[in-house]
């Protein structure tokens, strides 16, 4: 019982923090003859002692009535969610969404819910995804409503549905993905009945648009414990519906560590990447690259005469597969490009410890990574999952040496902005050519020389350009 009392004390403290605004808003709704309740994730987070500045309320008022109540009180108003019954406002640094009671209906075929307004709080709470999100606190009265045992489930750290999970997931299959997302976010365990329904109904996820799946999956991967959520996706078969490459890793043996398969290795790499964020904001690009870095292995697996397994060029195949998958999930092109580049580069470091890298190779490593270099450092370090302490220490020392070498070259040559020693104007003047393809090819040639040999003196760069131009037939 002490756990519940602690949760309630957290909620009171959090609600007092926002009550000057929420109670004032509640009084305005009451004066207009309407109810107003803090609801859903806001109540859950208040009970956990982590209520943020985004507050969710529900009301019996229709959107046009809500607009009339907040007009002249709110510092800003937005109506982008009006067709779903939601009006957004800003007040005293808080972002507030006020949604009319809902009684959503689903036909089992359409990919999105059809919103119908409800007329009471209990029906609204019944249609919510999980019991921990089906609690409400009235304002300004602060009356607590918990018809489905959400507080008890919060204390037990369990994910249950208000209705049967089959009915809940049948209404909106995306809730199955949300169950895994909350497991990752809150480190809660799903009720066995929830897991059974997710497994039996995984194919229903095909009814959901790629964009909605993408958004939920992104939140899952950015959770406090994404590995738990990822395991749920694979174990229930949900991953097969939108990310089959993940479960496809399960049977592949990792050549770096034969005691575990590539699937387990991948989950460790994701966990390592999370740890290297050092408590900062979740880095989706890094985490997604960690998740996808070895997806090219199944297609490139070979077994040698000595029985050793190899995956030659799996980073190339993996980059292609990553691009295809992220495109299918409708990720923005710039995000996809960054993740694909990290996957393509994640193996580049191996071999450095054998002393094969020249300064030219280091320059190319930095130049190819570009702005992604800090993430590439973290991804490469995360990829070291060997249990052999001596080998792990050697790899770590090698990467320390590479970073130190990069820093030295960076100080001398400004590697982040490698450019040819002659710019386009100098090239045109020296060769006597107008703007066009010749200038572009000459610029590229000089950049390759810069990467290979480092900074060149002006006279040396000009001599190299003239030699190249003669060989290409641009000078007589």
């Amino acid at each position: 019982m002490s756990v519940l009392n602690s949760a309630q004390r957290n909620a009171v403290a959090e609600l007092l923090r926002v009550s000057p605004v929420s109670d004032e808003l509640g009084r305005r709704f009451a004066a207009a003859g309407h109810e107003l309740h803090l609801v859903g994730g806001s109540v859950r987070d208040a009970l956990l002692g982590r209520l943020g500045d985004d507050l969710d309320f529900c009301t019996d008022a229709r959107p046009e009535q809500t607009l009339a109540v907040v007009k002249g009180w709110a510092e800003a108003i937005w109506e982008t969610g009006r067709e779903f019954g939601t009006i957004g406002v800003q007040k005293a640094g808080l972002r507030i969404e006020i949604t009319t009671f809902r009684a959503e209906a689903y036909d089992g075929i359409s990919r999105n819910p059809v919103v119908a307004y409800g007329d009471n709080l209990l029906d609204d709470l019944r249609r919510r995804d999980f019991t921990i999100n089906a609690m409400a606190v009235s304002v300004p009265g602060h009356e607590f409503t918990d018809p489905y045992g959400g507080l008890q489930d919060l204390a037990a750290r369990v994910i249950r549905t208000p209705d049967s999970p089959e009915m809940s997931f049948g209404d909106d299959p995306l809730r199955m993905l949300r169950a895994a997302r909350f497991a990752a976010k809150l480190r809660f365990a799903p009720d066995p009945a929830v897991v059974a329904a997710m497994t039996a109904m995984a194919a229903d996820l095909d009814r959901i648009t790629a964009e909605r799946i993408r958004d939920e999956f992104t939140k899952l991967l950015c959770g406090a414990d994404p590995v738990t959520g990822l395991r749920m996706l694979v174990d229930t078969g949900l991953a097969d519906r939108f990310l089959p490459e993940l479960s496809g890793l399960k049977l592949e043996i990792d050549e770096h560590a034969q005691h575990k398969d590539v699937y387990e290795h991948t989950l460790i790499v994701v966990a390592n990447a999370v740890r290297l964020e050092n408590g900062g904001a979740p880095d989706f690009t890094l985490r997604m690259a960690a998740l996808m870095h070895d997806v090219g292995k199944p297609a490139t697996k070979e077994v040698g005469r000595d029985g050793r397994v190899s995956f030659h060029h799996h980073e190339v195949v993996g980059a292609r597969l990553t691009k295809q998958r992220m495109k299918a999930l409708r990720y923005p092109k710039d995000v996809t490009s960054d993740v694909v580049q990290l996957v393509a580069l994640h193996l580049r470091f191996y071999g450095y410890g054998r002393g094969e890298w020249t300064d030219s190779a280091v320059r190319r490593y930095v130049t190819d990574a570009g702005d992604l270099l800090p993430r590439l450092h973290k991804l490469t370090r995360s990829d070291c999952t060997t249990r052999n302490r001596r080998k792990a220490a050697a790899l770590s020392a090698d990467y320390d040496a590479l970073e130190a070498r990069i820093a030295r070259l960076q100080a001398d040559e400004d590697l982040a902005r490698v450019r040819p020693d002659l710019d386009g104007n100098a090239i045109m003047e020296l060769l006597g050519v107008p703007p066009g393809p010749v200038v572009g090819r000459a610029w590229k040639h000089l950049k390759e020389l810069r990467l290979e040999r480092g900074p060149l003196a002006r006279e040396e760069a000009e001599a190299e350009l003239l030699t190249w131009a003669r060989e290409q037939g641009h000078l007589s």
Side-chain angles (χ1 to χ4, degrees):
M1 199 65 182
S2 62
V3 175
L4 298 186
N5 290 336
S6 174
Q8 290 168 323
R9 285 195 298 272
N10 285 337
V12 169
E14 290 294 276
L15 291 173
L16 284 175
R17 180 174 65 82
V18 300
S19 63
V21 172
S22 60
D23 287 353
E24 182 180 348
L25 183 59
R27 285 191 290 270
R28 292 180 68 91
F29 272 83
H34 300 297
E35 302 174 35
L36 187 67
H37 304 268
L38 189 71
V39 71
S42 292
V43 176
R44 179 199 71 227
D45 289 344
L47 289 165
L48 292 172
R50 58 173 84 165
L51 182 62
D53 294 330
D54 293 340
L55 305 180
D56 293 325
F57 291 90
C58 64
T59 179
D60 58 339
R62 298 296 191 260
E64 62 275 11
Q65 294 170 318
T66 294
L67 283 170
V69 171
V70 300
K71 187 176 182 181
W73 176 83
E75 297 164 358
I77 299 174
W78 57 93
E79 301 182 43
T80 51
R82 182 170 180 168
E83 64 176 309
F84 300 107
T86 299
I87 300 298
V89 305
Q90 182 170 317
K91 180 73 172 183
L94 299 174
R95 288 175 58 88
I96 297 168
E97 289 195 344
I98 306 164
T99 302
T100 302
F101 291 150
R102 290 176 179 175
E104 290 180 348
Y106 300 79
D107 61 13
I109 299 174
S110 65
R111 296 183 174 187
N112 295 303
V114 178
V115 177
Y117 295 142
D119 56 14
N120 68 85
L121 175 63
L122 291 182
D123 284 348
D124 181 274
L125 295 179
R126 183 180 180 84
R127 54 148 290 277
R128 292 179 180 268
D129 51 6
F130 305 112
T131 59
I132 57 174
N133 296 329
M135 298 177 281
V137 177
S138 66
V139 288
H142 295 183
E143 179 182 349
F144 184 63
T145 302
D146 179 20
Y148 303 107
L151 187 59
Q152 187 70 43
D153 289 342
L154 199 68
R157 304 177 67 83
V158 66
I159 299 170
R160 286 194 310 113
T161 53
D163 255 322
S164 71
E166 291 80 9
M167 181 174 293
S168 180
F169 299 156
D171 281 347
D172 186 0
L174 189 67
R175 290 172 174 171
M176 295 185 288
L177 195 52
R178 285 172 63 83
R181 193 249 287 187
F182 280 115
K185 176 181 179 179
L186 302 173
R187 294 190 171 98
F188 283 16
D191 183 80
V194 168
V195 176
M198 291 168 68
T199 304
M201 302 174 66
D204 285 13
L205 193 65
D206 295 349
R207 291 163 40 198
I208 305 301
T209 62
E211 290 82 359
R212 294 182 72 206
I213 291 174
R214 173 201 64 206
D215 292 346
E216 282 298 328
F217 176 70
T218 300
K219 293 174 183 177
L220 183 159
L221 196 58
C222 290
D225 181 18
V227 170
T228 291
L230 293 169
R231 286 192 186 279
M232 282 185 62
L233 295 181
V234 172
D235 293 346
T236 59
L238 285 170
D240 292 334
R241 314 314 305 186
F242 72 96
L243 192 64
E245 294 83 1
L246 177 57
S247 51
L249 295 173
K250 259 198 160 184
L251 301 179
E252 301 302 324
I253 303 301
D254 187 352
E255 83 279 17
H256 293 307
Q258 303 252 345
H259 60 275
K260 58 183 175 291
D261 62 26
V262 177
Y263 171 72
E264 291 297 333
H265 163 76
T266 294
L267 295 183
I268 294 172
V269 174
V270 172
N272 288 346
V274 172
R275 186 167 58 253
L276 288 178
E277 291 172 355
N278 294 320
D283 186 342
F284 170 78
T285 298
L286 173 63
R287 295 184 183 198
M288 188 65 175
L291 182 66
M292 303 296 285
H293 79 286
D294 274 350
V295 295
K297 283 188 171 179
T300 58
K301 179 181 177 180
E302 294 181 356
V303 180
R305 293 181 179 179
D306 59 358
R308 290 184 59 83
V309 178
S310 63
F311 304 94
H312 295 301
H313 305 300
H314 74 267
E315 74 280 12
V316 177
V317 175
R320 175 172 54 81
L321 294 175
T322 298
K323 183 176 182 179
Q324 292 172 351
R325 181 54 53 198
M326 293 187 71
K327 181 179 180 181
L329 287 172
R330 307 290 195 270
Y331 278 101
K333 290 183 178 179
D334 59 336
V335 176
T336 299
S337 177
D338 285 349
V339 175
V340 168
Q341 182 73 341
L342 286 170
V343 172
L345 292 175
H346 84 273
L347 274 189
R348 182 79 69 85
F349 161 72
Y350 292 95
Y352 178 79
R354 296 194 295 267
E356 299 171 356
W357 281 34
T358 61
D359 283 352
S360 173
V362 176
R363 293 187 193 99
R364 292 181 187 278
Y365 187 75
V366 173
T367 300
D368 289 348
D371 293 339
L372 296 172
L373 185 62
R375 287 186 172 117
L376 183 57
H377 288 334
K378 292 178 182 178
L379 177 60
T380 303
R381 291 186 181 275
S382 298
D383 196 22
C384 176
T385 63
T386 178
R387 293 181 181 177
N388 184 317
R389 292 185 178 181
R390 183 179 299 177
K391 183 177 180 181
L395 286 170
S396 180
D398 286 344
Y399 209 84
D400 289 343
L402 175 59
E403 288 201 58
R405 191 171 172 188
I406 289 172
R408 288 194 300 271
L409 287 173
Q410 186 77 274
D412 293 338
E413 303 179 18
D414 193 12
L415 294 183
R417 290 182 292 274
V418 170
R419 294 290 186 273
D421 296 284
L422 301 176
D423 63 16
N425 289 328
I427 291 170
M428 288 188 287
E429 181 179 352
L430 189 61
L431 299 185
V433 296
V438 171
V439 178
R441 289 195 293 270
W443 191 93
K444 185 175 180 180
H445 172 71
L446 289 174
K447 181 177 179 180
E448 288 296 315
L449 282 178
R450 175 74 164 73
L451 289 170
E452 187 68 31
R453 290 159 50 181
L456 302 178
R458 175 86 180 195
E459 296 77 9
E460 188 177 5
E462 290 179 348
E464 290 288 351
L465 177 61
L466 292 172
T467 298
W468 172 85
R470 292 190 187 94
E471 293 173 350
Q472 298 295 314
H474 300 309
L475 290 177
S476 57

